[in-house]
Amino acid sequence: NPTKTQAEEIVQRYSRIRHIMQQTVVEADPLQQSLFTEKIDNILLHRTWGYLILLTVLFLLFQSVFWIASYPMDAIEWVFGRLSDVLSQHMPAGWFADLFINGFVAGLSGIFVFVPQIMILFGLITLLEDTGYMARISFLTDKVMRKVGLNGKSVMPMISGFACAVPAIMSARNIENRKERLLTILVTPLMSCSARLPVYTILIALVVPSKLYFGFLSLQGLVMMALYLFGTVMALLVAWAMKWFIRSTERSYFILELPVYRGPRWKNVLVTMLEKARIFVYDAGKVIMVISLLLWGLSHFGPSGSMEKVESSFAQQMQLHPESATELNKEKQSALLQASYAGHLGKSIEPVIAPLGYDWKIGIALITSFAAREVFVGTMATLYSVGDADEYDSTLREKMQAARKPDGTPVYTLATGLSLLVFYVLAMQCMSTIAVVKRETRSWKWPVIQLLYMTGLAYLMSWMVNVIFK
């Protein structure tokens, strides 16, 4: 009887395996592991301490992003500064050298300098997921979510929105209730995605002093955390307001399995960090590079006769005042930029953005970053490199700090910087997100509503911040 013989052989084989396992392998008792998890949950899911611990975890997360990343970021800035300096000394002067240094190298610098922060942020988020704490965040926030028309299942798409709104919106498919799914899709882009991180970093470094309180609390880290919390609070407020306009009679339930706590898989953390860096460099990098090169062209060419007028005007001034050649050359570069296509584009929208405290260069950056938010940094790198052609070795931060309005006041004051930060927290500046919302809702109605309410909200709040801090 072959079947009986085979069955006996299998039983004997597994009996032997069990015997060897008992002698050689030590396994944690599932009951002990479950009791250990329950003890930790008594603290982490406590109705008071649970929320305080959650805020502390988020606080440490954003402090770490600024504190750890500052060293590699400074090193990358230094390398690109020296590279630009060396290239400017050894390449023959001309349009190609200008394009290569101010277009290509400036664009590369705008991409690579933010890779350390993106890697650190996603490494820490992966740690939270691997240990099992991320599921507890969903559980803790379910009560708050229900008050604004969402439920605990909305938390994961919203937390995923810290990485990228596109997959986050797609992950809202597992929310059965139509109204809650639609509300989640409409407010998820208000969560600060990784594309905003470069913008936050450069602006916080510009307008927020690098102070430490009690020897370890970074003011810049606190501002970064405040921006993430502000986006989250605004998402909840918008969801609460919209729940009155989107009607539904469906009831919803929130069922979640809380995994046991376990040690993080460090290989998984490392792979995630490298993958996020690769996605940023390849996907965002391509857009940043194309727009950097396009902006270089717009900054070097202008309507017929406009650039020639500036050239001839400053040539005459150089002959009359040769002793002021350095100062006149700087003024000439600025005048050429204003006479270019980019200058005309920025000047045309300046009346609209002037109440927010922005100049025409920021206006150009706002337009280009509607393709993708991270393009803001590449745009600034190109515009300020073109404006200061004799200062290749200066970092972008130094150039932006030195920027002045026609009346001599700094462009990036505290009011302007905070206003711009608030604008980028709230504005819908991502074509990919608009496309995916259209696909998920099967209508252009909701993406248009989303674009209008987010842009309007961003403008209103930015104006208020500028007025308050001015």
Side-chain angles (χ1 to χ4, degrees), residues 314-390:
F314 275 92
Q316 291 174 4
Q317 290 186 50
M318 291 272 194
Q319 289 176 347
L320 294 170
H321 307 284
E323 72 283 354
S324 306
T326 307
E327 195 60 40
L328 284 170
N329 194 44
K330 281 192 176 184
E331 288 179 23
K332 176 186 164 185
Q333 293 295 338
S334 180
L336 282 170
L337 187 57
Q338 292 189 48
S340 67
Y341 287 116
H344 283 281
L345 181 66
K347 292 286 184 184
S348 65
I349 66 162
E350 196 168 29
V352 179
I353 58 172
L356 310 182
Y358 308 159
D359 71 347
W360 61 274
K361 285 186 180 179
I362 297 174
I364 296 171
L366 291 179
I367 291 171
T368 56
S369 59
F370 262 96
R373 297 176 185 95
E374 60 271 29
V375 171
F376 173 85
V377 179
T379 303
M380 289 287 111
T382 304
L383 290 176
Y384 281 101
S385 295
V386 172
D388 299 310
D390 58 336

Coordinates of all heavy atoms in Angstrom, one line a residue, residues 314-390:
F314 N 24.8 99.1 -20.1 CA 25.8 98.9 -19.1 C 27.2 99.0 -19.8 O 28.2 99.3 -19.1 CB 25.7 97.5 -18.5 CG 24.7 97.5 -17.3 CD1 23.3 97.3 -17.5 CD2 25.1 97.8 -16.1 CE1 22.4 97.3 -16.5 CE2 24.2 97.9 -15.0 CZ 22.9 97.6 -15.2
A315 N 27.3 98.8 -21.1 CA 28.6 99.0 -21.7 C 29.1 100.4 -21.7 O 30.2 100.8 -21.4 CB 28.5 98.5 -23.2
Q316 N 28.1 101.3 -21.8 CA 28.4 102.8 -21.7 C 28.7 103.2 -20.3 O 29.7 103.9 -20.1 CB 27.1 103.6 -22.2 CG 26.8 103.5 -23.6 CD 25.5 104.2 -24.0 OE1 24.8 104.8 -23.1 NE2 25.1 104.1 -25.2
Q317 N 28.0 102.6 -19.3 CA 28.3 102.9 -17.9 C 29.7 102.4 -17.5 O 30.4 103.0 -16.7 CB 27.3 102.3 -17.0 CG 25.9 102.9 -17.1 CD 24.9 102.4 -16.1 OE1 25.2 102.3 -14.9 NE2 23.7 102.0 -16.6
M318 N 30.1 101.2 -18.1 CA 31.4 100.7 -17.8 C 32.5 101.6 -18.3 O 33.6 101.8 -17.7 CB 31.6 99.3 -18.5 CG 30.7 98.2 -17.9 SD 31.5 97.4 -16.5 CE 30.4 95.9 -16.4
Q319 N 32.3 102.2 -19.5 CA 33.3 103.1 -20.1 C 33.4 104.4 -19.2 O 34.5 104.9 -19.0 CB 32.9 103.5 -21.5 CG 33.1 102.3 -22.5 CD 32.6 102.7 -23.9 OE1 31.9 103.7 -24.1 NE2 33.0 101.8 -24.8
L320 N 32.2 104.9 -18.7 CA 32.2 106.1 -17.9 C 32.8 105.9 -16.5 O 33.4 106.8 -15.9 CB 30.8 106.7 -17.8 CG 30.2 107.2 -19.2 CD1 28.7 107.5 -19.0 CD2 30.9 108.4 -19.6
H321 N 32.5 104.7 -15.9 CA 32.9 104.4 -14.5 C 33.7 103.1 -14.4 O 33.1 102.1 -13.9 CB 31.7 104.4 -13.6 CG 30.8 105.6 -13.7 ND1 31.2 106.8 -13.1 CD2 29.6 105.8 -14.3 CE1 30.2 107.7 -13.4 NE2 29.3 107.1 -14.1
P322 N 34.8 103.0 -15.0 CA 35.6 101.7 -15.0 C 35.9 101.3 -13.5 O 36.1 100.1 -13.3 CB 36.9 102.0 -15.8 CG 37.0 103.5 -15.8 CD 35.6 104.0 -15.7
E323 N 36.0 102.2 -12.6 CA 36.4 101.9 -11.2 C 35.3 101.1 -10.5 O 35.5 100.4 -9.5 CB 36.7 103.1 -10.4 CG 35.5 104.0 -10.0 CD 35.0 104.9 -11.2 OE1 35.7 104.9 -12.3 OE2 34.0 105.6 -11.0
S324 N 34.0 101.2 -11.0 CA 32.9 100.5 -10.4 C 32.5 99.2 -11.2 O 31.3 98.8 -11.3 CB 31.7 101.4 -10.3 OG 32.0 102.6 -9.7
A325 N 33.5 98.6 -11.9 CA 33.2 97.5 -12.9 C 32.5 96.3 -12.1 O 31.6 95.7 -12.7 CB 34.5 97.1 -13.5
T326 N 33.0 96.0 -10.9 CA 32.5 94.8 -10.2 C 31.0 95.0 -9.8 O 30.2 94.2 -10.1 CB 33.3 94.6 -8.9 OG1 34.7 94.5 -9.3 CG2 32.8 93.3 -8.3
E327 N 30.7 96.2 -9.3 CA 29.3 96.5 -8.9 C 28.4 96.6 -10.1 O 27.3 96.1 -10.1 CB 29.3 97.9 -8.1 CG 28.1 98.1 -7.3 CD 27.8 97.0 -6.3 OE1 28.7 96.6 -5.6 OE2 26.6 96.7 -6.1
L328 N 28.9 97.2 -11.2 CA 28.1 97.4 -12.4 C 27.8 96.0 -13.0 O 26.7 95.8 -13.6 CB 28.8 98.3 -13.4 CG 28.8 99.8 -13.1 CD1 29.7 100.6 -14.0 CD2 27.3 100.3 -13.2
N329 N 28.8 95.1 -12.9 CA 28.6 93.8 -13.5 C 27.5 93.0 -12.8 O 26.7 92.3 -13.4 CB 29.9 93.0 -13.4 CG 29.9 91.7 -14.3 OD1 29.4 91.8 -15.4 ND2 30.3 90.6 -13.7
K330 N 27.4 93.2 -11.4 CA 26.3 92.5 -10.7 C 25.0 93.1 -11.1 O 24.0 92.4 -11.2 CB 26.6 92.8 -9.2 CG 27.6 91.8 -8.6 CD 27.6 91.9 -7.0 CE 28.5 90.9 -6.4 NZ 28.5 90.9 -5.0
E331 N 24.9 94.5 -11.2 CA 23.7 95.1 -11.6 C 23.3 94.7 -13.0 O 22.1 94.5 -13.3 CB 23.9 96.6 -11.5 CG 23.9 97.2 -10.1 CD 24.1 98.7 -10.1 OE1 23.8 99.4 -11.2 OE2 24.6 99.3 -9.1
K332 N 24.3 94.5 -13.9 CA 24.0 94.1 -15.2 C 23.4 92.7 -15.3 O 22.4 92.4 -16.0 CB 25.3 94.1 -16.0 CG 25.2 93.6 -17.5 CD 26.6 93.5 -18.1 CE 26.5 92.6 -19.3 NZ 27.9 92.4 -19.9
Q333 N 23.9 91.7 -14.5 CA 23.4 90.4 -14.4 C 21.9 90.4 -13.9 O 21.1 89.7 -14.5 CB 24.2 89.5 -13.4 CG 25.7 89.2 -13.9 CD 25.7 88.4 -15.2 OE1 24.8 87.7 -15.5 NE2 26.8 88.5 -15.9
S334 N 21.7 91.2 -12.9 CA 20.3 91.3 -12.4 C 19.4 91.9 -13.4 O 18.2 91.5 -13.6 CB 20.3 92.2 -11.1 OG 19.0 92.3 -10.6
A335 N 19.8 93.0 -14.1 CA 19.0 93.6 -15.2 C 18.7 92.7 -16.3 O 17.6 92.7 -16.9 CB 19.7 94.9 -15.7
L336 N 19.8 91.9 -16.7 CA 19.6 90.9 -17.8 C 18.5 89.9 -17.5 O 17.7 89.5 -18.3 CB 20.9 90.2 -18.2 CG 21.9 91.1 -19.0 CD1 23.3 90.3 -19.0 CD2 21.4 91.3 -20.4
L337 N 18.6 89.4 -16.2 CA 17.6 88.4 -15.8 C 16.2 89.0 -15.8 O 15.2 88.3 -16.2 CB 18.0 88.0 -14.3 CG 17.1 86.8 -13.8 CD1 17.2 85.6 -14.7 CD2 17.6 86.5 -12.4
Q338 N 16.0 90.3 -15.4 CA 14.7 90.9 -15.4 C 14.2 91.1 -16.8 O 13.0 91.1 -17.1 CB 14.7 92.2 -14.7 CG 15.0 92.0 -13.2 CD 14.8 93.3 -12.4 OE1 13.8 94.0 -12.6 NE2 15.7 93.6 -11.5
A339 N 15.1 91.3 -17.8 CA 14.7 91.6 -19.2 C 14.5 90.3 -19.9 O 13.9 90.3 -21.1 CB 15.9 92.4 -19.9
S340 N 14.8 89.1 -19.3 CA 14.6 87.8 -20.0 C 13.2 87.4 -20.0 O 12.3 88.0 -19.4 CB 15.5 86.8 -19.3 OG 15.0 86.5 -18.0
Y341 N 12.9 86.3 -20.7 CA 11.6 85.7 -20.7 C 11.1 85.3 -19.3 O 10.0 85.5 -18.9 CB 11.5 84.4 -21.6 CG 11.5 84.7 -23.0 CD1 12.6 84.3 -23.8 CD2 10.5 85.5 -23.7 CE1 12.7 84.6 -25.2 CE2 10.6 85.7 -25.0 CZ 11.6 85.3 -25.8 OH 11.7 85.6 -27.1
A342 N 12.1 84.8 -18.5 CA 11.8 84.4 -17.1 C 11.4 85.6 -16.3 O 10.5 85.6 -15.5 CB 13.0 83.7 -16.5
G343 N 12.1 86.7 -16.5 CA 11.9 88.0 -15.8 C 10.5 88.5 -16.1 O 9.7 88.9 -15.2
H344 N 10.1 88.5 -17.4 CA 8.8 88.9 -17.8 C 7.7 88.1 -17.3 O 6.6 88.6 -16.9 CB 8.7 88.9 -19.4 CG 9.4 90.1 -20.0 ND1 8.9 91.4 -20.1 CD2 10.7 90.2 -20.6 CE1 9.7 92.2 -20.7 NE2 10.8 91.5 -21.0
L345 N 7.9 86.8 -17.2 CA 6.9 85.8 -16.6 C 6.7 86.1 -15.2 O 5.6 86.2 -14.7 CB 7.4 84.4 -16.8 CG 6.5 83.3 -16.3 CD1 5.2 83.2 -17.1 CD2 7.2 81.9 -16.4
G346 N 7.8 86.3 -14.4 CA 7.7 86.6 -13.0 C 7.1 87.9 -12.7 O 6.2 88.1 -11.8
K347 N 7.4 88.9 -13.5 CA 6.9 90.3 -13.3 C 5.4 90.3 -13.6 O 4.6 91.1 -13.0 CB 7.6 91.3 -14.2 CG 9.0 91.6 -13.9 CD 9.2 92.4 -12.7 CE 10.6 92.8 -12.4 NZ 10.8 93.5 -11.2
S348 N 4.9 89.5 -14.5 CA 3.5 89.5 -14.9 C 2.6 89.0 -13.7 O 1.5 89.4 -13.6 CB 3.3 88.6 -16.1 OG 3.6 87.3 -15.9
I349 N 3.2 88.1 -12.9 CA 2.3 87.6 -11.8 C 2.7 88.2 -10.4 O 2.1 87.9 -9.4 CB 2.4 86.0 -11.6 CG1 3.9 85.6 -11.2 CG2 2.0 85.3 -12.9 CD1 3.9 84.2 -10.6
E350 N 3.7 89.2 -10.5 CA 4.1 89.8 -9.2 C 2.9 90.6 -8.5 O 2.8 90.5 -7.3 CB 5.2 90.8 -9.5 CG 6.0 91.1 -8.2 CD 7.3 91.8 -8.5 OE1 7.4 92.5 -9.5 OE2 8.2 91.7 -7.6
P351 N 2.0 91.3 -9.2 CA 0.9 91.9 -8.5 C 0.0 91.0 -7.7 O -0.5 91.3 -6.6 CB 0.1 92.6 -9.6 CG 1.1 92.8 -10.7 CD 2.0 91.6 -10.6
V352 N -0.1 89.7 -8.2 CA -0.9 88.7 -7.5 C -0.3 88.2 -6.2 O -0.9 88.0 -5.2 CB -1.3 87.6 -8.4 CG1 -2.1 86.5 -7.7 CG2 -1.9 88.1 -9.7
I353 N 1.1 88.0 -6.3 CA 1.8 87.4 -5.1 C 2.4 88.5 -4.2 O 2.9 88.1 -3.1 CB 2.8 86.4 -5.6 CG1 3.9 87.1 -6.5 CG2 2.2 85.3 -6.3 CD1 5.0 86.3 -6.9
A354 N 2.4 89.7 -4.6 CA 3.0 90.8 -3.8 C 2.4 90.9 -2.4 O 3.1 91.0 -1.4 CB 2.9 92.1 -4.5
P355 N 1.0 90.7 -2.2 CA 0.4 90.7 -0.9 C 1.0 89.6 0.1 O 0.9 89.7 1.3 CB -1.1 90.6 -1.1 CG -1.3 91.0 -2.5 CD 0.0 90.6 -3.2
L356 N 1.5 88.6 -0.5 CA 2.1 87.5 0.3 C 3.5 87.7 0.7 O 4.1 86.9 1.4 CB 2.0 86.1 -0.5 CG 0.6 85.8 -1.1 CD1 0.7 84.4 -1.8 CD2 -0.5 85.8 -0.1
G357 N 4.1 88.8 0.2 CA 5.5 89.1 0.5 C 6.5 88.6 -0.5 O 7.7 88.6 -0.2
Y358 N 6.0 88.0 -1.7 CA 6.9 87.4 -2.6 C 7.4 88.3 -3.7 O 6.7 89.2 -4.1 CB 6.3 86.2 -3.2 CG 5.6 85.2 -2.3 CD1 4.6 84.3 -2.7 CD2 6.0 85.1 -0.9 CE1 4.0 83.4 -1.9 CE2 5.4 84.2 -0.1 CZ 4.4 83.4 -0.5 OH 3.8 82.5 0.3
D359 N 8.6 88.1 -4.2 CA 9.1 88.8 -5.4 C 8.9 88.0 -6.6 O 8.4 86.9 -6.6 CB 10.6 89.2 -5.2 CG 11.5 88.1 -5.3 OD1 11.0 86.9 -5.2 OD2 12.7 88.3 -5.4
W360 N 9.3 88.5 -7.8 CA 9.1 87.9 -9.0 C 9.8 86.6 -9.2 O 9.4 85.7 -9.9 CB 9.4 88.8 -10.2 CG 10.8 89.3 -10.3 CD1 11.3 90.3 -9.6 CD2 11.8 88.7 -11.1 NE1 12.7 90.5 -10.0 CE2 13.0 89.5 -10.9 CE3 11.9 87.7 -12.0 CZ2 14.2 89.2 -11.5 CZ3 13.1 87.4 -12.6 CH2 14.2 88.1 -12.4
K361 N 11.0 86.4 -8.6 CA 11.7 85.2 -8.6 C 11.0 84.1 -7.9 O 10.9 82.9 -8.4 CB 13.1 85.3 -8.0 CG 14.1 86.1 -8.9 CD 15.5 86.1 -8.3 CE 16.5 86.9 -9.1 NZ 17.8 86.9 -8.6
I362 N 10.4 84.4 -6.8 CA 9.6 83.4 -6.1 C 8.4 83.0 -6.9 O 7.9 81.9 -7.0 CB 9.2 83.9 -4.7 CG1 10.4 84.1 -3.8 CG2 8.2 82.9 -4.0 CD1 10.1 84.8 -2.5
G363 N 7.8 84.0 -7.6 CA 6.7 83.8 -8.5 C 7.0 82.8 -9.6 O 6.2 81.9 -9.9
I364 N 8.2 82.9 -10.2 CA 8.6 81.9 -11.2 C 8.7 80.5 -10.6 O 8.2 79.5 -11.2 CB 10.0 82.3 -11.8 CG1 9.9 83.6 -12.6 CG2 10.5 81.2 -12.7 CD1 11.2 84.1 -13.0
A365 N 9.2 80.4 -9.4 CA 9.4 79.1 -8.7 C 8.0 78.5 -8.4 O 7.8 77.3 -8.5 CB 10.1 79.3 -7.4
L366 N 7.0 79.4 -8.0 CA 5.6 78.9 -7.7 C 5.0 78.3 -9.0 O 4.3 77.3 -8.9 CB 4.8 80.0 -7.2 CG 5.1 80.6 -5.8 CD1 4.1 81.7 -5.5 CD2 5.0 79.5 -4.8
I367 N 5.3 78.9 -10.1 CA 4.7 78.4 -11.4 C 5.4 77.1 -11.8 O 4.7 76.1 -12.1 CB 4.9 79.5 -12.5 CG1 4.1 80.7 -12.3 CG2 4.6 78.8 -13.9 CD1 4.4 81.9 -13.2
T368 N 6.7 77.0 -11.7 CA 7.4 75.8 -12.2 C 7.1 74.7 -11.2 O 7.0 73.5 -11.6 CB 8.9 76.0 -12.2 OG1 9.4 76.5 -11.0 CG2 9.3 77.0 -13.3
S369 N 6.9 75.0 -9.9 CA 6.7 73.9 -9.0 C 5.3 73.4 -8.9 O 4.9 72.5 -8.2 CB 7.1 74.3 -7.5 OG 6.4 75.4 -7.1
F370 N 4.4 73.9 -9.8 CA 3.1 73.3 -10.0 C 3.2 71.9 -10.7 O 2.3 71.1 -10.6 CB 2.1 74.2 -10.8 CG 1.2 75.0 -9.9 CD1 1.5 76.3 -9.5 CD2 0.1 74.4 -9.4 CE1 0.7 77.0 -8.6 CE2 -0.8 75.1 -8.5 CZ -0.5 76.4 -8.2
A371 N 4.3 71.7 -11.4 CA 4.6 70.4 -12.0 C 4.9 69.4 -10.9 O 4.5 68.3 -10.9 CB 5.7 70.5 -13.0
A372 N 5.8 69.9 -9.9 CA 6.2 69.0 -8.8 C 6.8 70.0 -7.8 O 7.6 70.8 -8.2 CB 7.2 67.9 -9.2
R373 N 6.5 69.8 -6.5 CA 6.9 70.8 -5.5 C 8.4 70.9 -5.4 O 8.9 72.0 -5.1 CB 6.3 70.5 -4.1 CG 4.8 70.5 -4.1 CD 4.3 70.0 -2.8 NE 2.8 69.9 -2.7 CZ 2.1 68.8 -3.0 NH1 2.8 67.7 -3.3 NH2 0.8 68.9 -2.9
E374 N 9.1 69.8 -5.5 CA 10.6 69.8 -5.2 C 11.3 70.7 -6.3 O 12.5 71.0 -6.1 CB 11.1 68.4 -5.2 CG 10.9 67.6 -6.5 CD 9.6 66.8 -6.5 OE1 8.6 67.2 -5.9 OE2 9.6 65.8 -7.1
V375 N 10.6 71.0 -7.4 CA 11.3 71.8 -8.5 C 11.6 73.2 -7.9 O 12.4 73.9 -8.5 CB 10.3 71.9 -9.7 CG1 10.8 72.9 -10.7 CG2 10.2 70.5 -10.3
F376 N 10.9 73.7 -6.8 CA 11.2 75.0 -6.2 C 12.7 75.2 -6.0 O 13.3 76.3 -6.4 CB 10.5 75.1 -4.9 CG 10.8 76.3 -4.1 CD1 10.1 77.5 -4.4 CD2 11.8 76.3 -3.2 CE1 10.4 78.7 -3.7 CE2 12.1 77.5 -2.4 CZ 11.4 78.7 -2.7
V377 N 13.4 74.2 -5.5 CA 14.8 74.3 -5.1 C 15.7 74.4 -6.4 O 16.5 75.3 -6.5 CB 15.3 73.2 -4.3 CG1 16.8 73.3 -3.9 CG2 14.5 73.1 -3.0
G378 N 15.4 73.6 -7.4 CA 16.1 73.6 -8.7 C 15.9 75.0 -9.4 O 16.8 75.5 -9.9
T379 N 14.7 75.5 -9.3 CA 14.4 76.8 -9.9 C 15.2 77.9 -9.2 O 15.8 78.8 -9.9 CB 12.9 77.1 -9.7 OG1 12.1 76.1 -10.4 CG2 12.5 78.5 -10.4
M380 N 15.2 77.9 -7.9 CA 16.0 78.9 -7.1 C 17.5 78.8 -7.4 O 18.1 79.8 -7.6 CB 15.8 78.7 -5.6 CG 14.4 79.1 -5.1 SD 14.2 80.9 -5.0 CE 13.0 81.1 -6.3
A381 N 18.0 77.6 -7.5 CA 19.4 77.3 -7.8 C 19.7 77.9 -9.2 O 20.8 78.6 -9.3 CB 19.7 75.8 -7.8
T382 N 18.9 77.7 -10.2 CA 19.1 78.2 -11.5 C 19.0 79.8 -11.5 O 19.9 80.4 -12.1 CB 18.1 77.6 -12.5 OG1 18.2 76.2 -12.4 CG2 18.4 78.1 -13.9
L383 N 17.9 80.3 -11.0 CA 17.7 81.8 -11.0 C 18.8 82.5 -10.3 O 19.3 83.5 -10.8 CB 16.4 82.1 -10.4 CG 15.1 81.7 -11.3 CD1 13.9 82.1 -10.5 CD2 15.2 82.4 -12.6
Y384 N 19.2 82.1 -9.1 CA 20.2 82.8 -8.3 C 21.6 82.6 -8.8 O 22.5 83.4 -8.7 CB 20.1 82.4 -6.8 CG 19.0 83.2 -6.2 CD1 17.8 82.6 -5.9 CD2 19.1 84.5 -5.8 CE1 16.7 83.3 -5.3 CE2 18.1 85.2 -5.3 CZ 16.9 84.6 -5.0 OH 15.8 85.3 -4.5
S385 N 21.9 81.4 -9.5 CA 23.2 81.2 -10.1 C 23.3 82.1 -11.3 O 24.4 82.7 -11.5 CB 23.3 79.8 -10.6 OG 23.3 78.9 -9.5
V386 N 22.3 82.3 -12.1 CA 22.3 83.2 -13.2 C 22.5 84.6 -12.8 O 23.2 85.4 -13.4 CB 21.0 83.0 -14.1 CG1 20.9 84.1 -15.1 CG2 20.9 81.6 -14.7
G387 N 21.8 85.0 -11.7 CA 21.9 86.3 -11.2 C 23.2 86.7 -10.7 O 23.6 87.9 -10.7
D388 N 24.0 85.7 -10.1 CA 25.3 86.0 -9.5 C 26.4 85.1 -10.2 O 26.9 84.2 -9.7 CB 25.3 85.7 -8.0 CG 24.3 86.5 -7.3 OD1 24.3 87.7 -7.5 OD2 23.5 86.0 -6.5
A389 N 26.6 85.4 -11.5 CA 27.5 84.6 -12.3 C 28.9 84.6 -11.8 O 29.7 83.7 -12.1 CB 27.5 85.1 -13.7
D390 N 29.3 85.6 -11.0 CA 30.7 85.6 -10.5 C 30.8 84.9 -9.1 O 31.9 85.0 -8.5 CB 31.2 87.0 -10.4 CG 30.4 87.9 -9.5 OD1 29.2 87.5 -9.4 OD2 30.9 88.9 -9.0

